[in-house]
Amino acid sequence: MIKDNPSEWSGLLLDIIWAYRTSKRDAIDCTPYELVYGHEAILPVEVNVRTIRVDGQYRMTAEAYQEAMSIMNLDVGAKREQALSSLIKQKRLLVESYNKWVRKKSFKVDDLVWKVRLPMGHKDHFYGKWTPQWEGPFRIVRLYSGNSYGLQHMDGKVIKTNINGKFIKAYHPTIWEKYAQNIQRSFPEF
């Protein structure tokens, strides 16, 4: 429509808005117009009722329009409840689909964890793309509700702010750290 007459877009805007408001949405299983007014939009062309001729045009009388609307009127509350239940069903399916890929993480007090470096995605000028994304290890000292944890540096200094569980991951020592621990156990004088 607009491609043919780009300079007349403002004249076509009302027709486009009308088409948008009267087209059915999958999420609510009805049209926005129907959700607001409780019935489908009735075009004057569709109404076969009394009309009068005014200024050379046929116009519908107010009584005829009210009669047509009362015939088509549906219960608005029922339609809105149906739209709400459809939205709830769609949201539930979305949550189930998302939760298939979410892995639950749970930690206990005294677990060692890595913490993401904040701000995320920040790159150090010296390391460039090799900037580490995680720092640690940290020890979990307290569990809070909502998957939140209190952390402590290995030297005993407690971090004041809690951190969400999605920003930490389990710490596993490297081969070199395990090797150093074995040597220290075997030769405590070093």
Side-chain angles (χ1 to χ4, degrees), residues 27-58:
I28 57 177
D29 201 30
C30 64
T31 66
Y33 185 95
E34 191 175 355
L35 196 58
V36 171
Y37 297 108
H39 55 80
E40 293 182 16
I42 301 172
L43 298 174
V45 176
E46 297 174 351
V47 180
N48 295 327
V49 293
R50 296 177 305 277
T51 57
I52 57 172
R53 189 175 178 128
V54 177
D55 298 330
Q57 294 181 343
Y58 287 99

PDB file of all heavy atoms in Angstrom, residues 27-58:
ATOM      1  N   ALA A  27      -1.478 -14.965  20.852  1.00  0.00           N
ATOM      2  CA  ALA A  27      -1.256 -14.963  22.297  1.00  0.00           C
ATOM      3  C   ALA A  27      -2.561 -14.844  23.074  1.00  0.00           C
ATOM      4  O   ALA A  27      -2.753 -15.516  24.085  1.00  0.00           O
ATOM      5  CB  ALA A  27      -0.322 -13.825  22.685  1.00  0.00           C
ATOM      6  N   ILE A  28      -3.466 -13.995  22.618  1.00  0.00           N
ATOM      7  CA  ILE A  28      -4.720 -13.790  23.346  1.00  0.00           C
ATOM      8  C   ILE A  28      -5.897 -14.484  22.681  1.00  0.00           C
ATOM      9  O   ILE A  28      -6.999 -14.473  23.207  1.00  0.00           O
ATOM     10  CB  ILE A  28      -5.013 -12.286  23.534  1.00  0.00           C
ATOM     11  CG1 ILE A  28      -5.057 -11.551  22.203  1.00  0.00           C
ATOM     12  CG2 ILE A  28      -4.010 -11.669  24.473  1.00  0.00           C
ATOM     13  CD1 ILE A  28      -5.416 -10.083  22.312  1.00  0.00           C
ATOM     14  N   ASP A  29      -5.670 -15.072  21.526  1.00  0.00           N
ATOM     15  CA  ASP A  29      -6.677 -15.845  20.799  1.00  0.00           C
ATOM     16  C   ASP A  29      -7.911 -15.014  20.438  1.00  0.00           C
ATOM     17  O   ASP A  29      -9.022 -15.524  20.381  1.00  0.00           O
ATOM     18  CB  ASP A  29      -7.087 -17.083  21.603  1.00  0.00           C
ATOM     19  CG  ASP A  29      -7.714 -18.145  20.705  1.00  0.00           C
ATOM     20  OD1 ASP A  29      -7.332 -18.203  19.522  1.00  0.00           O
ATOM     21  OD2 ASP A  29      -8.568 -18.905  21.193  1.00  0.00           O
ATOM     22  N   CYS A  30      -7.717 -13.725  20.224  1.00  0.00           N
ATOM     23  CA  CYS A  30      -8.784 -12.846  19.743  1.00  0.00           C
ATOM     24  C   CYS A  30      -8.135 -11.555  19.247  1.00  0.00           C
ATOM     25  O   CYS A  30      -6.926 -11.414  19.274  1.00  0.00           O
ATOM     26  CB  CYS A  30      -9.820 -12.567  20.829  1.00  0.00           C
ATOM     27  SG  CYS A  30      -9.187 -11.684  22.243  1.00  0.00           S
ATOM     28  N   THR A  31      -8.942 -10.616  18.789  1.00  0.00           N
ATOM     29  CA  THR A  31      -8.420  -9.341  18.314  1.00  0.00           C
ATOM     30  C   THR A  31      -8.353  -8.354  19.480  1.00  0.00           C
ATOM     31  O   THR A  31      -9.119  -8.477  20.438  1.00  0.00           O
ATOM     32  CB  THR A  31      -9.315  -8.760  17.211  1.00  0.00           C
ATOM     33  OG1 THR A  31     -10.577  -8.422  17.780  1.00  0.00           O
ATOM     34  CG2 THR A  31      -9.497  -9.734  16.068  1.00  0.00           C
ATOM     35  N   PRO A  32      -7.453  -7.363  19.417  1.00  0.00           N
ATOM     36  CA  PRO A  32      -7.439  -6.337  20.462  1.00  0.00           C
ATOM     37  C   PRO A  32      -8.774  -5.596  20.567  1.00  0.00           C
ATOM     38  O   PRO A  32      -9.214  -5.261  21.663  1.00  0.00           O
ATOM     39  CB  PRO A  32      -6.318  -5.391  20.029  1.00  0.00           C
ATOM     40  CG  PRO A  32      -5.407  -6.226  19.221  1.00  0.00           C
ATOM     41  CD  PRO A  32      -6.294  -7.214  18.526  1.00  0.00           C
ATOM     42  N   TYR A  33      -9.428  -5.352  19.453  1.00  0.00           N
ATOM     43  CA  TYR A  33     -10.734  -4.694  19.453  1.00  0.00           C
ATOM     44  C   TYR A  33     -11.746  -5.528  20.225  1.00  0.00           C
ATOM     45  O   TYR A  33     -12.512  -5.018  21.042  1.00  0.00           O
ATOM     46  CB  TYR A  33     -11.195  -4.496  17.999  1.00  0.00           C
ATOM     47  CG  TYR A  33     -12.489  -3.724  17.866  1.00  0.00           C
ATOM     48  CD1 TYR A  33     -12.474  -2.361  17.646  1.00  0.00           C
ATOM     49  CD2 TYR A  33     -13.717  -4.360  17.957  1.00  0.00           C
ATOM     50  CE1 TYR A  33     -13.653  -1.646  17.517  1.00  0.00           C
ATOM     51  CE2 TYR A  33     -14.903  -3.664  17.827  1.00  0.00           C
ATOM     52  CZ  TYR A  33     -14.860  -2.304  17.608  1.00  0.00           C
ATOM     53  OH  TYR A  33     -16.021  -1.608  17.491  1.00  0.00           O
ATOM     54  N   GLU A  34     -11.739  -6.813  19.972  1.00  0.00           N
ATOM     55  CA  GLU A  34     -12.678  -7.722  20.635  1.00  0.00           C
ATOM     56  C   GLU A  34     -12.420  -7.792  22.137  1.00  0.00           C
ATOM     57  O   GLU A  34     -13.342  -7.883  22.941  1.00  0.00           O
ATOM     58  CB  GLU A  34     -12.533  -9.106  20.011  1.00  0.00           C
ATOM     59  CG  GLU A  34     -13.575 -10.096  20.383  1.00  0.00           C
ATOM     60  CD  GLU A  34     -13.406 -11.399  19.625  1.00  0.00           C
ATOM     61  OE1 GLU A  34     -12.539 -11.493  18.738  1.00  0.00           O
ATOM     62  OE2 GLU A  34     -14.151 -12.332  19.948  1.00  0.00           O
ATOM     63  N   LEU A  35     -11.161  -7.701  22.523  1.00  0.00           N
ATOM     64  CA  LEU A  35     -10.814  -7.737  23.935  1.00  0.00           C
ATOM     65  C   LEU A  35     -11.296  -6.487  24.667  1.00  0.00           C
ATOM     66  O   LEU A  35     -11.732  -6.558  25.808  1.00  0.00           O
ATOM     67  CB  LEU A  35      -9.303  -7.867  24.080  1.00  0.00           C
ATOM     68  CG  LEU A  35      -8.755  -8.293  25.423  1.00  0.00           C
ATOM     69  CD1 LEU A  35      -9.327  -9.637  25.835  1.00  0.00           C
ATOM     70  CD2 LEU A  35      -7.252  -8.361  25.372  1.00  0.00           C
ATOM     71  N   VAL A  36     -11.267  -5.347  23.986  1.00  0.00           N
ATOM     72  CA  VAL A  36     -11.690  -4.095  24.611  1.00  0.00           C
ATOM     73  C   VAL A  36     -13.208  -3.967  24.637  1.00  0.00           C
ATOM     74  O   VAL A  36     -13.804  -3.661  25.663  1.00  0.00           O
ATOM     75  CB  VAL A  36     -11.061  -2.893  23.880  1.00  0.00           C
ATOM     76  CG1 VAL A  36     -11.652  -1.582  24.371  1.00  0.00           C
ATOM     77  CG2 VAL A  36      -9.553  -2.886  24.076  1.00  0.00           C
ATOM     78  N   TYR A  37     -13.848  -4.225  23.500  1.00  0.00           N
ATOM     79  CA  TYR A  37     -15.277  -3.953  23.380  1.00  0.00           C
ATOM     80  C   TYR A  37     -16.175  -5.174  23.585  1.00  0.00           C
ATOM     81  O   TYR A  37     -17.381  -5.036  23.689  1.00  0.00           O
ATOM     82  CB  TYR A  37     -15.583  -3.307  22.032  1.00  0.00           C
ATOM     83  CG  TYR A  37     -14.899  -1.972  21.885  1.00  0.00           C
ATOM     84  CD1 TYR A  37     -13.813  -1.819  21.037  1.00  0.00           C
ATOM     85  CD2 TYR A  37     -15.314  -0.879  22.635  1.00  0.00           C
ATOM     86  CE1 TYR A  37     -13.178  -0.599  20.912  1.00  0.00           C
ATOM     87  CE2 TYR A  37     -14.681   0.342  22.523  1.00  0.00           C
ATOM     88  CZ  TYR A  37     -13.614   0.480  21.652  1.00  0.00           C
ATOM     89  OH  TYR A  37     -12.979   1.682  21.549  1.00  0.00           O
ATOM     90  N   GLY A  38     -15.605  -6.353  23.594  1.00  0.00           N
ATOM     91  CA  GLY A  38     -16.400  -7.547  23.880  1.00  0.00           C
ATOM     92  C   GLY A  38     -17.052  -8.186  22.677  1.00  0.00           C
ATOM     93  O   GLY A  38     -17.787  -9.150  22.820  1.00  0.00           O
ATOM     94  N   HIS A  39     -16.841  -7.669  21.500  1.00  0.00           N
ATOM     95  CA  HIS A  39     -17.400  -8.260  20.285  1.00  0.00           C
ATOM     96  C   HIS A  39     -16.479  -7.929  19.119  1.00  0.00           C
ATOM     97  O   HIS A  39     -15.626  -7.048  19.210  1.00  0.00           O
ATOM     98  CB  HIS A  39     -18.818  -7.735  20.015  1.00  0.00           C
ATOM     99  CG  HIS A  39     -18.898  -6.242  19.941  1.00  0.00           C
ATOM    100  ND1 HIS A  39     -18.554  -5.534  18.818  1.00  0.00           N
ATOM    101  CD2 HIS A  39     -19.261  -5.336  20.878  1.00  0.00           C
ATOM    102  CE1 HIS A  39     -18.704  -4.249  19.047  1.00  0.00           C
ATOM    103  NE2 HIS A  39     -19.134  -4.095  20.305  1.00  0.00           N
ATOM    104  N   GLU A  40     -16.668  -8.654  18.052  1.00  0.00           N
ATOM    105  CA  GLU A  40     -15.861  -8.394  16.862  1.00  0.00           C
ATOM    106  C   GLU A  40     -16.260  -7.070  16.256  1.00  0.00           C
ATOM    107  O   GLU A  40     -17.389  -6.600  16.413  1.00  0.00           O
ATOM    108  CB  GLU A  40     -16.050  -9.520  15.846  1.00  0.00           C
ATOM    109  CG  GLU A  40     -15.482 -10.842  16.313  1.00  0.00           C
ATOM    110  CD  GLU A  40     -15.638 -11.925  15.261  1.00  0.00           C
ATOM    111  OE1 GLU A  40     -15.897 -11.581  14.091  1.00  0.00           O
ATOM    112  OE2 GLU A  40     -15.501 -13.085  15.626  1.00  0.00           O
ATOM    113  N   ALA A  41     -15.330  -6.469  15.548  1.00  0.00           N
ATOM    114  CA  ALA A  41     -15.618  -5.200  14.893  1.00  0.00           C
ATOM    115  C   ALA A  41     -16.644  -5.413  13.782  1.00  0.00           C
ATOM    116  O   ALA A  41     -16.556  -6.367  13.012  1.00  0.00           O
ATOM    117  CB  ALA A  41     -14.336  -4.614  14.309  1.00  0.00           C
ATOM    118  N   ILE A  42     -17.615  -4.535  13.720  1.00  0.00           N
ATOM    119  CA  ILE A  42     -18.661  -4.620  12.696  1.00  0.00           C
ATOM    120  C   ILE A  42     -18.465  -3.466  11.734  1.00  0.00           C
ATOM    121  O   ILE A  42     -18.506  -2.296  12.126  1.00  0.00           O
ATOM    122  CB  ILE A  42     -20.067  -4.536  13.325  1.00  0.00           C
ATOM    123  CG1 ILE A  42     -20.259  -5.654  14.332  1.00  0.00           C
ATOM    124  CG2 ILE A  42     -21.133  -4.576  12.242  1.00  0.00           C
ATOM    125  CD1 ILE A  42     -21.538  -5.531  15.123  1.00  0.00           C
ATOM    126  N   LEU A  43     -18.244  -3.795  10.496  1.00  0.00           N
ATOM    127  CA  LEU A  43     -18.129  -2.766   9.477  1.00  0.00           C
ATOM    128  C   LEU A  43     -19.527  -2.379   9.012  1.00  0.00           C
ATOM    129  O   LEU A  43     -20.431  -3.221   8.947  1.00  0.00           O
ATOM    130  CB  LEU A  43     -17.313  -3.293   8.294  1.00  0.00           C
ATOM    131  CG  LEU A  43     -15.871  -3.693   8.610  1.00  0.00           C
ATOM    132  CD1 LEU A  43     -15.228  -4.325   7.396  1.00  0.00           C
ATOM    133  CD2 LEU A  43     -15.079  -2.492   9.060  1.00  0.00           C
ATOM    134  N   PRO A  44     -19.719  -1.114   8.682  1.00  0.00           N
ATOM    135  CA  PRO A  44     -21.049  -0.702   8.198  1.00  0.00           C
ATOM    136  C   PRO A  44     -21.509  -1.487   6.972  1.00  0.00           C
ATOM    137  O   PRO A  44     -22.696  -1.683   6.766  1.00  0.00           O
ATOM    138  CB  PRO A  44     -20.851   0.772   7.862  1.00  0.00           C
ATOM    139  CG  PRO A  44     -19.721   1.215   8.733  1.00  0.00           C
ATOM    140  CD  PRO A  44     -18.830   0.009   8.852  1.00  0.00           C
ATOM    141  N   VAL A  45     -20.580  -1.990   6.193  1.00  0.00           N
ATOM    142  CA  VAL A  45     -20.935  -2.771   5.011  1.00  0.00           C
ATOM    143  C   VAL A  45     -21.600  -4.084   5.422  1.00  0.00           C
ATOM    144  O   VAL A  45     -22.474  -4.602   4.747  1.00  0.00           O
ATOM    145  CB  VAL A  45     -19.669  -3.049   4.167  1.00  0.00           C
ATOM    146  CG1 VAL A  45     -19.965  -3.944   2.987  1.00  0.00           C
ATOM    147  CG2 VAL A  45     -19.034  -1.750   3.733  1.00  0.00           C
ATOM    148  N   GLU A  46     -21.168  -4.635   6.574  1.00  0.00           N
ATOM    149  CA  GLU A  46     -21.693  -5.913   7.037  1.00  0.00           C
ATOM    150  C   GLU A  46     -23.070  -5.805   7.668  1.00  0.00           C
ATOM    151  O   GLU A  46     -23.762  -6.795   7.835  1.00  0.00           O
ATOM    152  CB  GLU A  46     -20.731  -6.516   8.071  1.00  0.00           C
ATOM    153  CG  GLU A  46     -19.367  -6.844   7.523  1.00  0.00           C
ATOM    154  CD  GLU A  46     -18.416  -7.287   8.606  1.00  0.00           C
ATOM    155  OE1 GLU A  46     -18.757  -7.179   9.795  1.00  0.00           O
ATOM    156  OE2 GLU A  46     -17.323  -7.747   8.257  1.00  0.00           O
ATOM    157  N   VAL A  47     -23.463  -4.606   8.045  1.00  0.00           N
ATOM    158  CA  VAL A  47     -24.722  -4.424   8.751  1.00  0.00           C
ATOM    159  C   VAL A  47     -25.836  -4.154   7.754  1.00  0.00           C
ATOM    160  O   VAL A  47     -25.780  -3.189   6.992  1.00  0.00           O
ATOM    161  CB  VAL A  47     -24.609  -3.259   9.762  1.00  0.00           C
ATOM    162  CG1 VAL A  47     -25.923  -3.059  10.493  1.00  0.00           C
ATOM    163  CG2 VAL A  47     -23.483  -3.507  10.720  1.00  0.00           C
ATOM    164  N   ASN A  48     -26.828  -5.027   7.744  1.00  0.00           N
ATOM    165  CA  ASN A  48     -27.988  -4.849   6.869  1.00  0.00           C
ATOM    166  C   ASN A  48     -29.143  -4.304   7.704  1.00  0.00           C
ATOM    167  O   ASN A  48     -30.041  -5.022   8.100  1.00  0.00           O
ATOM    168  CB  ASN A  48     -28.401  -6.176   6.226  1.00  0.00           C
ATOM    169  CG  ASN A  48     -27.327  -6.696   5.300  1.00  0.00           C
ATOM    170  OD1 ASN A  48     -26.627  -5.910   4.668  1.00  0.00           O
ATOM    171  ND2 ASN A  48     -27.182  -7.997   5.242  1.00  0.00           N
ATOM    172  N   VAL A  49     -29.071  -3.017   7.991  1.00  0.00           N
ATOM    173  CA  VAL A  49     -30.099  -2.375   8.797  1.00  0.00           C
ATOM    174  C   VAL A  49     -30.538  -1.092   8.127  1.00  0.00           C
ATOM    175  O   VAL A  49     -30.016  -0.702   7.080  1.00  0.00           O
ATOM    176  CB  VAL A  49     -29.586  -2.078  10.228  1.00  0.00           C
ATOM    177  CG1 VAL A  49     -29.331  -3.347  10.986  1.00  0.00           C
ATOM    178  CG2 VAL A  49     -28.356  -1.207  10.186  1.00  0.00           C
ATOM    179  N   ARG A  50     -31.450  -0.427   8.770  1.00  0.00           N
ATOM    180  CA  ARG A  50     -32.006   0.797   8.203  1.00  0.00           C
ATOM    181  C   ARG A  50     -30.928   1.874   8.044  1.00  0.00           C
ATOM    182  O   ARG A  50     -30.137   2.121   8.940  1.00  0.00           O
ATOM    183  CB  ARG A  50     -33.108   1.324   9.116  1.00  0.00           C
ATOM    184  CG  ARG A  50     -34.288   0.393   9.225  1.00  0.00           C
ATOM    185  CD  ARG A  50     -35.318   0.930  10.185  1.00  0.00           C
ATOM    186  NE  ARG A  50     -34.821   1.247  11.529  1.00  0.00           N
ATOM    187  CZ  ARG A  50     -34.682   0.353  12.493  1.00  0.00           C
ATOM    188  NH1 ARG A  50     -34.969  -0.906  12.279  1.00  0.00           N
ATOM    189  NH2 ARG A  50     -34.248   0.718  13.684  1.00  0.00           N
ATOM    190  N   THR A  51     -30.931   2.512   6.917  1.00  0.00           N
ATOM    191  CA  THR A  51     -30.033   3.626   6.668  1.00  0.00           C
ATOM    192  C   THR A  51     -30.853   4.796   6.153  1.00  0.00           C
ATOM    193  O   THR A  51     -31.947   4.620   5.616  1.00  0.00           O
ATOM    194  CB  THR A  51     -28.960   3.268   5.627  1.00  0.00           C
ATOM    195  OG1 THR A  51     -29.595   2.853   4.427  1.00  0.00           O
ATOM    196  CG2 THR A  51     -28.050   2.180   6.136  1.00  0.00           C
ATOM    197  N   ILE A  52     -30.319   5.975   6.320  1.00  0.00           N
ATOM    198  CA  ILE A  52     -30.977   7.157   5.773  1.00  0.00           C
ATOM    199  C   ILE A  52     -29.993   7.860   4.858  1.00  0.00           C
ATOM    200  O   ILE A  52     -28.775   7.698   4.980  1.00  0.00           O
ATOM    201  CB  ILE A  52     -31.440   8.098   6.908  1.00  0.00           C
ATOM    202  CG1 ILE A  52     -30.262   8.511   7.796  1.00  0.00           C
ATOM    203  CG2 ILE A  52     -32.532   7.452   7.743  1.00  0.00           C
ATOM    204  CD1 ILE A  52     -30.620   9.579   8.810  1.00  0.00           C
ATOM    205  N   ARG A  53     -30.544   8.640   3.944  1.00  0.00           N
ATOM    206  CA  ARG A  53     -29.698   9.334   2.984  1.00  0.00           C
ATOM    207  C   ARG A  53     -29.462  10.756   3.492  1.00  0.00           C
ATOM    208  O   ARG A  53     -30.389  11.530   3.682  1.00  0.00           O
ATOM    209  CB  ARG A  53     -30.365   9.351   1.621  1.00  0.00           C
ATOM    210  CG  ARG A  53     -29.459   9.859   0.550  1.00  0.00           C
ATOM    211  CD  ARG A  53     -30.136   9.732  -0.802  1.00  0.00           C
ATOM    212  NE  ARG A  53     -29.236  10.267  -1.788  1.00  0.00           N
ATOM    213  CZ  ARG A  53     -28.870   9.642  -2.870  1.00  0.00           C
ATOM    214  NH1 ARG A  53     -29.369   8.465  -3.138  1.00  0.00           N
ATOM    215  NH2 ARG A  53     -28.045  10.184  -3.717  1.00  0.00           N
ATOM    216  N   VAL A  54     -28.155  11.080   3.722  1.00  0.00           N
ATOM    217  CA  VAL A  54     -27.767  12.408   4.178  1.00  0.00           C
ATOM    218  C   VAL A  54     -26.675  12.917   3.253  1.00  0.00           C
ATOM    219  O   VAL A  54     -25.643  12.266   3.087  1.00  0.00           O
ATOM    220  CB  VAL A  54     -27.244  12.367   5.638  1.00  0.00           C
ATOM    221  CG1 VAL A  54     -26.781  13.746   6.084  1.00  0.00           C
ATOM    222  CG2 VAL A  54     -28.293  11.824   6.566  1.00  0.00           C
ATOM    223  N   ASP A  55     -26.894  14.075   2.670  1.00  0.00           N
ATOM    224  CA  ASP A  55     -25.918  14.703   1.765  1.00  0.00           C
ATOM    225  C   ASP A  55     -25.476  13.754   0.653  1.00  0.00           C
ATOM    226  O   ASP A  55     -24.294  13.673   0.317  1.00  0.00           O
ATOM    227  CB  ASP A  55     -24.691  15.191   2.537  1.00  0.00           C
ATOM    228  CG  ASP A  55     -25.041  16.256   3.557  1.00  0.00           C
ATOM    229  OD1 ASP A  55     -26.019  17.005   3.313  1.00  0.00           O
ATOM    230  OD2 ASP A  55     -24.339  16.335   4.582  1.00  0.00           O
ATOM    231  N   GLY A  56     -26.372  13.013   0.127  1.00  0.00           N
ATOM    232  CA  GLY A  56     -26.064  12.122  -0.990  1.00  0.00           C
ATOM    233  C   GLY A  56     -25.427  10.810  -0.579  1.00  0.00           C
ATOM    234  O   GLY A  56     -25.071  10.012  -1.432  1.00  0.00           O
ATOM    235  N   GLN A  57     -25.244  10.581   0.720  1.00  0.00           N
ATOM    236  CA  GLN A  57     -24.649   9.333   1.186  1.00  0.00           C
ATOM    237  C   GLN A  57     -25.628   8.624   2.104  1.00  0.00           C
ATOM    238  O   GLN A  57     -26.421   9.255   2.802  1.00  0.00           O
ATOM    239  CB  GLN A  57     -23.364   9.605   1.966  1.00  0.00           C
ATOM    240  CG  GLN A  57     -22.251  10.182   1.125  1.00  0.00           C
ATOM    241  CD  GLN A  57     -21.004  10.391   1.970  1.00  0.00           C
ATOM    242  OE1 GLN A  57     -21.064  10.405   3.188  1.00  0.00           O
ATOM    243  NE2 GLN A  57     -19.875  10.552   1.311  1.00  0.00           N
ATOM    244  N   TYR A  58     -25.545   7.300   2.098  1.00  0.00           N
ATOM    245  CA  TYR A  58     -26.390   6.520   3.000  1.00  0.00           C
ATOM    246  C   TYR A  58     -25.672   6.369   4.340  1.00  0.00           C
ATOM    247  O   TYR A  58     -24.509   5.999   4.390  1.00  0.00           O
ATOM    248  CB  TYR A  58     -26.689   5.131   2.402  1.00  0.00           C
ATOM    249  CG  TYR A  58     -27.655   5.195   1.255  1.00  0.00           C
ATOM    250  CD1 TYR A  58     -27.210   5.175  -0.054  1.00  0.00           C
ATOM    251  CD2 TYR A  58     -29.016   5.292   1.505  1.00  0.00           C
ATOM    252  CE1 TYR A  58     -28.104   5.243  -1.098  1.00  0.00           C
ATOM    253  CE2 TYR A  58     -29.918   5.360   0.467  1.00  0.00           C
ATOM    254  CZ  TYR A  58     -29.449   5.336  -0.837  1.00  0.00           C
ATOM    255  OH  TYR A  58     -30.356   5.420  -1.861  1.00  0.00           O
TER     256      TYR A  58
END
